[in-house]
Amino acid sequence: MDHARNHQAAFTAPPFPGWGAGWQAPRPAAGRREGALLGVGIALWGVTYVSLGLLTCAWGVVLIFWAAAGEPVGPYVLHTVGAALGAAVLLAALAFAPGIRKLSAAARLALLGALACPGPLVLALWTWSAMD
């Protein structure tokens, strides 16, 4: 209780007139570690989304050509959508796991990005190299 009283005593005067007693000091900015984790997470998810975009475009072109040739594309679409949904469910289950939920948001973003990135990236690079 004394700690709370001492903490409040340090911020009794608002910085501007009219702000009233509800004023609180701003929270300190995130440290370097959180900023670095956030940058890594954003970079990993950016690479993942670019890879998935390339794969989606390439797969769409292939499906259009197969459909134009009279090939049934339904099973291919179902397998692709099933694999994508399965990966999304696994990542969501991991994101809500008790041990992972205790991490900060930046650490969770980086961890899930590191797990989500390699599959689409390798597949996109393999697809890009096979386009010659």
Side-chain angles (χ1 to χ4, degrees), residues 3-16 19-28:
H3 175 68
R5 190 175 304 138
N6 290 339
H7 182 70
Q8 287 177 349
F11 299 108
T12 54
F16 299 106
W19 276 26
W23 180 79
Q24 292 183 357
R27 300 180 84 191

mmCIF file with all atom_site columns, all heavy atoms in Angstrom, residues 3-16 19-28:
data_model
loop_
_atom_site.group_PDB
_atom_site.id
_atom_site.type_symbol
_atom_site.label_atom_id
_atom_site.label_alt_id
_atom_site.label_comp_id
_atom_site.label_asym_id
_atom_site.label_entity_id
_atom_site.label_seq_id
_atom_site.pdbx_PDB_ins_code
_atom_site.Cartn_x
_atom_site.Cartn_y
_atom_site.Cartn_z
_atom_site.occupancy
_atom_site.B_iso_or_equiv
_atom_site.pdbx_formal_charge
_atom_site.auth_seq_id
_atom_site.auth_comp_id
_atom_site.auth_asym_id
_atom_site.auth_atom_id
_atom_site.pdbx_PDB_model_num
ATOM 1   N N   . HIS A 1 3  ? 3.794  1.562  -1.246  1.00 0.00 ? 3  HIS A N   1
ATOM 2   C CA  . HIS A 1 3  ? 4.396  1.719  -2.570  1.00 0.00 ? 3  HIS A CA  1
ATOM 3   C C   . HIS A 1 3  ? 3.428  2.444  -3.512  1.00 0.00 ? 3  HIS A C   1
ATOM 4   O O   . HIS A 1 3  ? 3.816  3.348  -4.244  1.00 0.00 ? 3  HIS A O   1
ATOM 5   C CB  . HIS A 1 3  ? 4.789  0.365  -3.139  1.00 0.00 ? 3  HIS A CB  1
ATOM 6   C CG  . HIS A 1 3  ? 5.310  0.446  -4.533  1.00 0.00 ? 3  HIS A CG  1
ATOM 7   N ND1 . HIS A 1 3  ? 6.505  1.053  -4.830  1.00 0.00 ? 3  HIS A ND1 1
ATOM 8   C CD2 . HIS A 1 3  ? 4.794  0.027  -5.712  1.00 0.00 ? 3  HIS A CD2 1
ATOM 9   C CE1 . HIS A 1 3  ? 6.715  0.994  -6.141  1.00 0.00 ? 3  HIS A CE1 1
ATOM 10  N NE2 . HIS A 1 3  ? 5.681  0.372  -6.692  1.00 0.00 ? 3  HIS A NE2 1
ATOM 11  N N   . ALA A 1 4  ? 2.154  2.063  -3.466  1.00 0.00 ? 4  ALA A N   1
ATOM 12  C CA  . ALA A 1 4  ? 1.165  2.713  -4.327  1.00 0.00 ? 4  ALA A CA  1
ATOM 13  C C   . ALA A 1 4  ? 1.001  4.171  -3.934  1.00 0.00 ? 4  ALA A C   1
ATOM 14  O O   . ALA A 1 4  ? 0.868  5.046  -4.786  1.00 0.00 ? 4  ALA A O   1
ATOM 15  C CB  . ALA A 1 4  ? -0.166 1.976  -4.253  1.00 0.00 ? 4  ALA A CB  1
ATOM 16  N N   . ARG A 1 5  ? 1.013  4.466  -2.639  1.00 0.00 ? 5  ARG A N   1
ATOM 17  C CA  . ARG A 1 5  ? 0.862  5.839  -2.183  1.00 0.00 ? 5  ARG A CA  1
ATOM 18  C C   . ARG A 1 5  ? 2.061  6.682  -2.613  1.00 0.00 ? 5  ARG A C   1
ATOM 19  O O   . ARG A 1 5  ? 1.918  7.815  -3.064  1.00 0.00 ? 5  ARG A O   1
ATOM 20  C CB  . ARG A 1 5  ? 0.705  5.856  -0.668  1.00 0.00 ? 5  ARG A CB  1
ATOM 21  C CG  . ARG A 1 5  ? 0.303  7.234  -0.167  1.00 0.00 ? 5  ARG A CG  1
ATOM 22  C CD  . ARG A 1 5  ? 0.027  7.248  1.319   1.00 0.00 ? 5  ARG A CD  1
ATOM 23  N NE  . ARG A 1 5  ? -0.981 6.273  1.671   1.00 0.00 ? 5  ARG A NE  1
ATOM 24  C CZ  . ARG A 1 5  ? -0.917 5.483  2.752   1.00 0.00 ? 5  ARG A CZ  1
ATOM 25  N NH1 . ARG A 1 5  ? 0.095  5.582  3.581   1.00 0.00 ? 5  ARG A NH1 1
ATOM 26  N NH2 . ARG A 1 5  ? -1.866 4.625  3.003   1.00 0.00 ? 5  ARG A NH2 1
ATOM 27  N N   . ASN A 1 6  ? 3.270  6.126  -2.502  1.00 0.00 ? 6  ASN A N   1
ATOM 28  C CA  . ASN A 1 6  ? 4.459  6.843  -2.933  1.00 0.00 ? 6  ASN A CA  1
ATOM 29  C C   . ASN A 1 6  ? 4.453  7.077  -4.433  1.00 0.00 ? 6  ASN A C   1
ATOM 30  O O   . ASN A 1 6  ? 4.889  8.109  -4.916  1.00 0.00 ? 6  ASN A O   1
ATOM 31  C CB  . ASN A 1 6  ? 5.725  6.087  -2.527  1.00 0.00 ? 6  ASN A CB  1
ATOM 32  C CG  . ASN A 1 6  ? 5.948  6.123  -1.032  1.00 0.00 ? 6  ASN A CG  1
ATOM 33  O OD1 . ASN A 1 6  ? 5.426  6.996  -0.347  1.00 0.00 ? 6  ASN A OD1 1
ATOM 34  N ND2 . ASN A 1 6  ? 6.710  5.172  -0.533  1.00 0.00 ? 6  ASN A ND2 1
ATOM 35  N N   . HIS A 1 7  ? 3.969  6.076  -5.184  1.00 0.00 ? 7  HIS A N   1
ATOM 36  C CA  . HIS A 1 7  ? 3.903  6.204  -6.643  1.00 0.00 ? 7  HIS A CA  1
ATOM 37  C C   . HIS A 1 7  ? 2.930  7.316  -7.030  1.00 0.00 ? 7  HIS A C   1
ATOM 38  O O   . HIS A 1 7  ? 3.203  8.105  -7.928  1.00 0.00 ? 7  HIS A O   1
ATOM 39  C CB  . HIS A 1 7  ? 3.492  4.874  -7.261  1.00 0.00 ? 7  HIS A CB  1
ATOM 40  C CG  . HIS A 1 7  ? 3.441  4.900  -8.751  1.00 0.00 ? 7  HIS A CG  1
ATOM 41  N ND1 . HIS A 1 7  ? 4.575  4.991  -9.526  1.00 0.00 ? 7  HIS A ND1 1
ATOM 42  C CD2 . HIS A 1 7  ? 2.400  4.872  -9.614  1.00 0.00 ? 7  HIS A CD2 1
ATOM 43  C CE1 . HIS A 1 7  ? 4.240  5.011  -10.798 1.00 0.00 ? 7  HIS A CE1 1
ATOM 44  N NE2 . HIS A 1 7  ? 2.925  4.934  -10.879 1.00 0.00 ? 7  HIS A NE2 1
ATOM 45  N N   . GLN A 1 8  ? 1.794  7.387  -6.343  1.00 0.00 ? 8  GLN A N   1
ATOM 46  C CA  . GLN A 1 8  ? 0.821  8.424  -6.657  1.00 0.00 ? 8  GLN A CA  1
ATOM 47  C C   . GLN A 1 8  ? 1.327  9.803  -6.256  1.00 0.00 ? 8  GLN A C   1
ATOM 48  O O   . GLN A 1 8  ? 1.038  10.797 -6.912  1.00 0.00 ? 8  GLN A O   1
ATOM 49  C CB  . GLN A 1 8  ? -0.502 8.127  -5.969  1.00 0.00 ? 8  GLN A CB  1
ATOM 50  C CG  . GLN A 1 8  ? -1.254 6.988  -6.594  1.00 0.00 ? 8  GLN A CG  1
ATOM 51  C CD  . GLN A 1 8  ? -2.542 6.678  -5.845  1.00 0.00 ? 8  GLN A CD  1
ATOM 52  O OE1 . GLN A 1 8  ? -2.764 7.188  -4.761  1.00 0.00 ? 8  GLN A OE1 1
ATOM 53  N NE2 . GLN A 1 8  ? -3.373 5.840  -6.437  1.00 0.00 ? 8  GLN A NE2 1
ATOM 54  N N   . ALA A 1 9  ? 2.075  9.856  -5.186  1.00 0.00 ? 9  ALA A N   1
ATOM 55  C CA  . ALA A 1 9  ? 2.575  11.147 -4.728  1.00 0.00 ? 9  ALA A CA  1
ATOM 56  C C   . ALA A 1 9  ? 3.536  11.762 -5.737  1.00 0.00 ? 9  ALA A C   1
ATOM 57  O O   . ALA A 1 9  ? 3.645  12.980 -5.829  1.00 0.00 ? 9  ALA A O   1
ATOM 58  C CB  . ALA A 1 9  ? 3.262  10.992 -3.368  1.00 0.00 ? 9  ALA A CB  1
ATOM 59  N N   . ALA A 1 10 ? 4.240  10.940 -6.494  1.00 0.00 ? 10 ALA A N   1
ATOM 60  C CA  . ALA A 1 10 ? 5.194  11.454 -7.460  1.00 0.00 ? 10 ALA A CA  1
ATOM 61  C C   . ALA A 1 10 ? 4.503  12.121 -8.646  1.00 0.00 ? 10 ALA A C   1
ATOM 62  O O   . ALA A 1 10 ? 5.110  12.940 -9.326  1.00 0.00 ? 10 ALA A O   1
ATOM 63  C CB  . ALA A 1 10 ? 6.093  10.329 -7.950  1.00 0.00 ? 10 ALA A CB  1
ATOM 64  N N   . PHE A 1 11 ? 3.243  11.807 -8.892  1.00 0.00 ? 11 PHE A N   1
ATOM 65  C CA  . PHE A 1 11 ? 2.530  12.326 -10.059 1.00 0.00 ? 11 PHE A CA  1
ATOM 66  C C   . PHE A 1 11 ? 1.256  13.066 -9.652  1.00 0.00 ? 11 PHE A C   1
ATOM 67  O O   . PHE A 1 11 ? 0.222  12.923 -10.283 1.00 0.00 ? 11 PHE A O   1
ATOM 68  C CB  . PHE A 1 11 ? 2.185  11.188 -11.019 1.00 0.00 ? 11 PHE A CB  1
ATOM 69  C CG  . PHE A 1 11 ? 3.379  10.466 -11.545 1.00 0.00 ? 11 PHE A CG  1
ATOM 70  C CD1 . PHE A 1 11 ? 3.670  9.180  -11.117 1.00 0.00 ? 11 PHE A CD1 1
ATOM 71  C CD2 . PHE A 1 11 ? 4.239  11.064 -12.434 1.00 0.00 ? 11 PHE A CD2 1
ATOM 72  C CE1 . PHE A 1 11 ? 4.772  8.516  -11.589 1.00 0.00 ? 11 PHE A CE1 1
ATOM 73  C CE2 . PHE A 1 11 ? 5.353  10.405 -12.906 1.00 0.00 ? 11 PHE A CE2 1
ATOM 74  C CZ  . PHE A 1 11 ? 5.624  9.127  -12.477 1.00 0.00 ? 11 PHE A CZ  1
ATOM 75  N N   . THR A 1 12 ? 1.325  13.846 -8.605  1.00 0.00 ? 12 THR A N   1
ATOM 76  C CA  . THR A 1 12 ? 0.118  14.545 -8.180  1.00 0.00 ? 12 THR A CA  1
ATOM 77  C C   . THR A 1 12 ? -0.201 15.746 -9.055  1.00 0.00 ? 12 THR A C   1
ATOM 78  O O   . THR A 1 12 ? -1.357 16.079 -9.244  1.00 0.00 ? 12 THR A O   1
ATOM 79  C CB  . THR A 1 12 ? 0.252  15.001 -6.710  1.00 0.00 ? 12 THR A CB  1
ATOM 80  O OG1 . THR A 1 12 ? 1.448  15.763 -6.588  1.00 0.00 ? 12 THR A OG1 1
ATOM 81  C CG2 . THR A 1 12 ? 0.277  13.807 -5.784  1.00 0.00 ? 12 THR A CG2 1
ATOM 82  N N   . ALA A 1 13 ? 0.792  16.392 -9.590  1.00 0.00 ? 13 ALA A N   1
ATOM 83  C CA  . ALA A 1 13 ? 0.546  17.596 -10.388 1.00 0.00 ? 13 ALA A CA  1
ATOM 84  C C   . ALA A 1 13 ? 0.472  17.231 -11.861 1.00 0.00 ? 13 ALA A C   1
ATOM 85  O O   . ALA A 1 13 ? 1.418  16.698 -12.426 1.00 0.00 ? 13 ALA A O   1
ATOM 86  C CB  . ALA A 1 13 ? 1.659  18.608 -10.156 1.00 0.00 ? 13 ALA A CB  1
ATOM 87  N N   . PRO A 1 14 ? -0.662 17.495 -12.509 1.00 0.00 ? 14 PRO A N   1
ATOM 88  C CA  . PRO A 1 14 ? -0.739 17.239 -13.950 1.00 0.00 ? 14 PRO A CA  1
ATOM 89  C C   . PRO A 1 14 ? 0.132  18.224 -14.711 1.00 0.00 ? 14 PRO A C   1
ATOM 90  O O   . PRO A 1 14 ? 0.374  19.337 -14.244 1.00 0.00 ? 14 PRO A O   1
ATOM 91  C CB  . PRO A 1 14 ? -2.215 17.418 -14.278 1.00 0.00 ? 14 PRO A CB  1
ATOM 92  C CG  . PRO A 1 14 ? -2.768 18.243 -13.180 1.00 0.00 ? 14 PRO A CG  1
ATOM 93  C CD  . PRO A 1 14 ? -1.930 17.985 -11.968 1.00 0.00 ? 14 PRO A CD  1
ATOM 94  N N   . PRO A 1 15 ? 0.599  17.844 -15.897 1.00 0.00 ? 15 PRO A N   1
ATOM 95  C CA  . PRO A 1 15 ? 1.498  18.728 -16.641 1.00 0.00 ? 15 PRO A CA  1
ATOM 96  C C   . PRO A 1 15 ? 0.814  19.968 -17.190 1.00 0.00 ? 15 PRO A C   1
ATOM 97  O O   . PRO A 1 15 ? 1.456  20.979 -17.413 1.00 0.00 ? 15 PRO A O   1
ATOM 98  C CB  . PRO A 1 15 ? 2.017  17.837 -17.761 1.00 0.00 ? 15 PRO A CB  1
ATOM 99  C CG  . PRO A 1 15 ? 0.983  16.803 -17.931 1.00 0.00 ? 15 PRO A CG  1
ATOM 100 C CD  . PRO A 1 15 ? 0.369  16.590 -16.578 1.00 0.00 ? 15 PRO A CD  1
ATOM 101 N N   . PHE A 1 16 ? -0.487 19.909 -17.429 1.00 0.00 ? 16 PHE A N   1
ATOM 102 C CA  . PHE A 1 16 ? -1.211 21.051 -17.969 1.00 0.00 ? 16 PHE A CA  1
ATOM 103 C C   . PHE A 1 16 ? -2.437 21.308 -17.112 1.00 0.00 ? 16 PHE A C   1
ATOM 104 O O   . PHE A 1 16 ? -3.067 20.367 -16.627 1.00 0.00 ? 16 PHE A O   1
ATOM 105 C CB  . PHE A 1 16 ? -1.654 20.791 -19.417 1.00 0.00 ? 16 PHE A CB  1
ATOM 106 C CG  . PHE A 1 16 ? -0.514 20.549 -20.346 1.00 0.00 ? 16 PHE A CG  1
ATOM 107 C CD1 . PHE A 1 16 ? -0.242 19.279 -20.813 1.00 0.00 ? 16 PHE A CD1 1
ATOM 108 C CD2 . PHE A 1 16 ? 0.296  21.594 -20.753 1.00 0.00 ? 16 PHE A CD2 1
ATOM 109 C CE1 . PHE A 1 16 ? 0.812  19.057 -21.663 1.00 0.00 ? 16 PHE A CE1 1
ATOM 110 C CE2 . PHE A 1 16 ? 1.358  21.366 -21.606 1.00 0.00 ? 16 PHE A CE2 1
ATOM 111 C CZ  . PHE A 1 16 ? 1.620  20.099 -22.066 1.00 0.00 ? 16 PHE A CZ  1
ATOM 112 N N   . TRP A 1 19 ? -6.235 19.095 -16.671 1.00 0.00 ? 19 TRP A N   1
ATOM 113 C CA  . TRP A 1 19 ? -6.193 17.654 -16.917 1.00 0.00 ? 19 TRP A CA  1
ATOM 114 C C   . TRP A 1 19 ? -6.783 16.864 -15.766 1.00 0.00 ? 19 TRP A C   1
ATOM 115 O O   . TRP A 1 19 ? -7.174 15.743 -15.936 1.00 0.00 ? 19 TRP A O   1
ATOM 116 C CB  . TRP A 1 19 ? -4.752 17.211 -17.173 1.00 0.00 ? 19 TRP A CB  1
ATOM 117 C CG  . TRP A 1 19 ? -4.339 17.410 -18.588 1.00 0.00 ? 19 TRP A CG  1
ATOM 118 C CD1 . TRP A 1 19 ? -4.846 18.320 -19.471 1.00 0.00 ? 19 TRP A CD1 1
ATOM 119 C CD2 . TRP A 1 19 ? -3.346 16.706 -19.292 1.00 0.00 ? 19 TRP A CD2 1
ATOM 120 N NE1 . TRP A 1 19 ? -4.216 18.239 -20.669 1.00 0.00 ? 19 TRP A NE1 1
ATOM 121 C CE2 . TRP A 1 19 ? -3.273 17.235 -20.586 1.00 0.00 ? 19 TRP A CE2 1
ATOM 122 C CE3 . TRP A 1 19 ? -2.488 15.681 -18.962 1.00 0.00 ? 19 TRP A CE3 1
ATOM 123 C CZ2 . TRP A 1 19 ? -2.405 16.777 -21.549 1.00 0.00 ? 19 TRP A CZ2 1
ATOM 124 C CZ3 . TRP A 1 19 ? -1.614 15.226 -19.917 1.00 0.00 ? 19 TRP A CZ3 1
ATOM 125 C CH2 . TRP A 1 19 ? -1.582 15.768 -21.197 1.00 0.00 ? 19 TRP A CH2 1
ATOM 126 N N   . GLY A 1 20 ? -6.799 17.415 -14.589 1.00 0.00 ? 20 GLY A N   1
ATOM 127 C CA  . GLY A 1 20 ? -7.446 16.783 -13.449 1.00 0.00 ? 20 GLY A CA  1
ATOM 128 C C   . GLY A 1 20 ? -6.597 15.709 -12.806 1.00 0.00 ? 20 GLY A C   1
ATOM 129 O O   . GLY A 1 20 ? -5.428 15.512 -13.119 1.00 0.00 ? 20 GLY A O   1
ATOM 130 N N   . ALA A 1 21 ? -7.239 14.987 -11.892 1.00 0.00 ? 21 ALA A N   1
ATOM 131 C CA  . ALA A 1 21 ? -6.522 13.999 -11.089 1.00 0.00 ? 21 ALA A CA  1
ATOM 132 C C   . ALA A 1 21 ? -6.317 12.687 -11.825 1.00 0.00 ? 21 ALA A C   1
ATOM 133 O O   . ALA A 1 21 ? -5.612 11.814 -11.346 1.00 0.00 ? 21 ALA A O   1
ATOM 134 C CB  . ALA A 1 21 ? -7.282 13.746 -9.794  1.00 0.00 ? 21 ALA A CB  1
ATOM 135 N N   . GLY A 1 22 ? -6.951 12.481 -12.970 1.00 0.00 ? 22 GLY A N   1
ATOM 136 C CA  . GLY A 1 22 ? -6.836 11.215 -13.684 1.00 0.00 ? 22 GLY A CA  1
ATOM 137 C C   . GLY A 1 22 ? -5.568 11.079 -14.506 1.00 0.00 ? 22 GLY A C   1
ATOM 138 O O   . GLY A 1 22 ? -5.347 10.079 -15.165 1.00 0.00 ? 22 GLY A O   1
ATOM 139 N N   . TRP A 1 23 ? -4.706 12.077 -14.454 1.00 0.00 ? 23 TRP A N   1
ATOM 140 C CA  . TRP A 1 23 ? -3.488 12.039 -15.258 1.00 0.00 ? 23 TRP A CA  1
ATOM 141 C C   . TRP A 1 23 ? -2.512 11.022 -14.709 1.00 0.00 ? 23 TRP A C   1
ATOM 142 O O   . TRP A 1 23 ? -2.335 10.889 -13.509 1.00 0.00 ? 23 TRP A O   1
ATOM 143 C CB  . TRP A 1 23 ? -2.828 13.411 -15.279 1.00 0.00 ? 23 TRP A CB  1
ATOM 144 C CG  . TRP A 1 23 ? -1.576 13.448 -16.081 1.00 0.00 ? 23 TRP A CG  1
ATOM 145 C CD1 . TRP A 1 23 ? -1.496 13.531 -17.424 1.00 0.00 ? 23 TRP A CD1 1
ATOM 146 C CD2 . TRP A 1 23 ? -0.246 13.370 -15.595 1.00 0.00 ? 23 TRP A CD2 1
ATOM 147 N NE1 . TRP A 1 23 ? -0.195 13.525 -17.825 1.00 0.00 ? 23 TRP A NE1 1
ATOM 148 C CE2 . TRP A 1 23 ? 0.599  13.413 -16.712 1.00 0.00 ? 23 TRP A CE2 1
ATOM 149 C CE3 . TRP A 1 23 ? 0.308  13.253 -14.343 1.00 0.00 ? 23 TRP A CE3 1
ATOM 150 C CZ2 . TRP A 1 23 ? 1.969  13.352 -16.603 1.00 0.00 ? 23 TRP A CZ2 1
ATOM 151 C CZ3 . TRP A 1 23 ? 1.679  13.199 -14.230 1.00 0.00 ? 23 TRP A CZ3 1
ATOM 152 C CH2 . TRP A 1 23 ? 2.501  13.241 -15.361 1.00 0.00 ? 23 TRP A CH2 1
ATOM 153 N N   . GLN A 1 24 ? -1.888 10.249 -15.597 1.00 0.00 ? 24 GLN A N   1
ATOM 154 C CA  . GLN A 1 24 ? -0.847 9.298  -15.211 1.00 0.00 ? 24 GLN A CA  1
ATOM 155 C C   . GLN A 1 24 ? 0.364  9.539  -16.089 1.00 0.00 ? 24 GLN A C   1
ATOM 156 O O   . GLN A 1 24 ? 0.238  10.011 -17.221 1.00 0.00 ? 24 GLN A O   1
ATOM 157 C CB  . GLN A 1 24 ? -1.321 7.864  -15.384 1.00 0.00 ? 24 GLN A CB  1
ATOM 158 C CG  . GLN A 1 24 ? -2.407 7.473  -14.410 1.00 0.00 ? 24 GLN A CG  1
ATOM 159 C CD  . GLN A 1 24 ? -2.791 6.027  -14.583 1.00 0.00 ? 24 GLN A CD  1
ATOM 160 O OE1 . GLN A 1 24 ? -2.292 5.345  -15.457 1.00 0.00 ? 24 GLN A OE1 1
ATOM 161 N NE2 . GLN A 1 24 ? -3.693 5.570  -13.739 1.00 0.00 ? 24 GLN A NE2 1
ATOM 162 N N   . ALA A 1 25 ? 1.501  9.171  -15.581 1.00 0.00 ? 25 ALA A N   1
ATOM 163 C CA  . ALA A 1 25 ? 2.729  9.316  -16.350 1.00 0.00 ? 25 ALA A CA  1
ATOM 164 C C   . ALA A 1 25 ? 2.705  8.365  -17.535 1.00 0.00 ? 25 ALA A C   1
ATOM 165 O O   . ALA A 1 25 ? 2.143  7.272  -17.458 1.00 0.00 ? 25 ALA A O   1
ATOM 166 C CB  . ALA A 1 25 ? 3.936  9.022  -15.471 1.00 0.00 ? 25 ALA A CB  1
ATOM 167 N N   . PRO A 1 26 ? 3.284  8.748  -18.655 1.00 0.00 ? 26 PRO A N   1
ATOM 168 C CA  . PRO A 1 26 ? 3.331  7.837  -19.803 1.00 0.00 ? 26 PRO A CA  1
ATOM 169 C C   . PRO A 1 26 ? 4.190  6.627  -19.486 1.00 0.00 ? 26 PRO A C   1
ATOM 170 O O   . PRO A 1 26 ? 5.141  6.694  -18.712 1.00 0.00 ? 26 PRO A O   1
ATOM 171 C CB  . PRO A 1 26 ? 3.943  8.688  -20.913 1.00 0.00 ? 26 PRO A CB  1
ATOM 172 C CG  . PRO A 1 26 ? 4.617  9.800  -20.225 1.00 0.00 ? 26 PRO A CG  1
ATOM 173 C CD  . PRO A 1 26 ? 3.905  10.020 -18.932 1.00 0.00 ? 26 PRO A CD  1
ATOM 174 N N   . ARG A 1 27 ? 3.825  5.515  -20.090 1.00 0.00 ? 27 ARG A N   1
ATOM 175 C CA  . ARG A 1 27 ? 4.587  4.288  -19.902 1.00 0.00 ? 27 ARG A CA  1
ATOM 176 C C   . ARG A 1 27 ? 5.901  4.384  -20.659 1.00 0.00 ? 27 ARG A C   1
ATOM 177 O O   . ARG A 1 27 ? 5.962  4.991  -21.721 1.00 0.00 ? 27 ARG A O   1
ATOM 178 C CB  . ARG A 1 27 ? 3.787  3.100  -20.412 1.00 0.00 ? 27 ARG A CB  1
ATOM 179 C CG  . ARG A 1 27 ? 2.456  2.962  -19.675 1.00 0.00 ? 27 ARG A CG  1
ATOM 180 C CD  . ARG A 1 27 ? 1.682  1.814  -20.183 1.00 0.00 ? 27 ARG A CD  1
ATOM 181 N NE  . ARG A 1 27 ? 2.190  0.638  -19.487 1.00 0.00 ? 27 ARG A NE  1
ATOM 182 C CZ  . ARG A 1 27 ? 1.881  -0.595 -19.825 1.00 0.00 ? 27 ARG A CZ  1
ATOM 183 N NH1 . ARG A 1 27 ? 1.102  -0.816 -20.834 1.00 0.00 ? 27 ARG A NH1 1
ATOM 184 N NH2 . ARG A 1 27 ? 2.361  -1.608 -19.153 1.00 0.00 ? 27 ARG A NH2 1
ATOM 185 N N   . PRO A 1 28 ? 6.944  3.777  -20.142 1.00 0.00 ? 28 PRO A N   1
ATOM 186 C CA  . PRO A 1 28 ? 8.225  3.824  -20.859 1.00 0.00 ? 28 PRO A CA  1
ATOM 187 C C   . PRO A 1 28 ? 8.140  3.061  -22.173 1.00 0.00 ? 28 PRO A C   1
ATOM 188 O O   . PRO A 1 28 ? 7.366  2.109  -22.316 1.00 0.00 ? 28 PRO A O   1
ATOM 189 C CB  . PRO A 1 28 ? 9.210  3.170  -19.893 1.00 0.00 ? 28 PRO A CB  1
ATOM 190 C CG  . PRO A 1 28 ? 8.375  2.405  -18.934 1.00 0.00 ? 28 PRO A CG  1
ATOM 191 C CD  . PRO A 1 28 ? 7.035  3.068  -18.889 1.00 0.00 ? 28 PRO A CD  1
#
